[in-house]
Amino acid sequence: MNSITLMRGLGYAGLLPFGFFAAGVWVFDDFLQSLCYQGFVIYSLVILSFLAGSLWGSAIGVTGVAKLQRLLVSNGIAVFAAMAVLTAQLLVAAVLLMLGHLAVLWYERNTGDVDNWYGRLRTQLTLLATAMHVVYVAGTIASNGA
């Protein structure tokens, strides 16, 4: 198996917890539903932090002002993700984390990081993760009667 195949497989496998937790808020009750509410937000935080870290790591190959910007964006996204969860409001946190995922994609697209197979993969994964955030938010609203 080559590294591209492995990275694609891991990327799509990384969507499975999003899908499980998002579906869980719709189909489970009580304890399991509560785990899905919290699990989704925690998992989204972990993945967004991972993406912020990948920006940090990719700064090695960049020079000058672009390097400084990438490092600042990386740190800003990580802090934003933590602050989103610190709202202690799962619905608010999920929406903010979704925006964070989209912000990382926007940044990557605007710095030329999407002109290859990895960029296309990142776009696909982010759009699917965003869709699962929408499913989660809708399920949370439906379950709470808000």
Side-chain angles (χ1 to χ4, degrees), residues 32-109:
L32 289 177
Q33 187 180 49
S34 179
L35 284 176
C36 289
Y37 285 136
Q38 294 176 30
F40 187 94
V41 168
I42 291 168
Y43 188 70
S44 185
L45 168 67
V46 167
I47 295 302
L48 188 52
S49 296
F50 171 81
L51 293 173
S54 71
L55 287 177
W56 178 276
S58 70
I60 292 170
V62 183
T63 60
V65 173
K67 182 175 205 151
L68 176 63
Q69 289 173 339
R70 187 165 295 220
L71 293 172
L72 291 174
V73 167
S74 171
N75 282 290
I77 293 289
V79 170
F80 175 82
M83 297 299 284
V85 174
L86 288 175
T87 64
Q89 300 292 320
L90 294 174
L91 184 62
V92 171
V95 170
L96 292 174
L97 290 166
M98 178 182 69
L99 294 174
H101 286 275
L102 291 170
V104 171
L105 179 63
W106 177 86
Y107 178 79
E108 290 173 341
R109 293 179 68 87

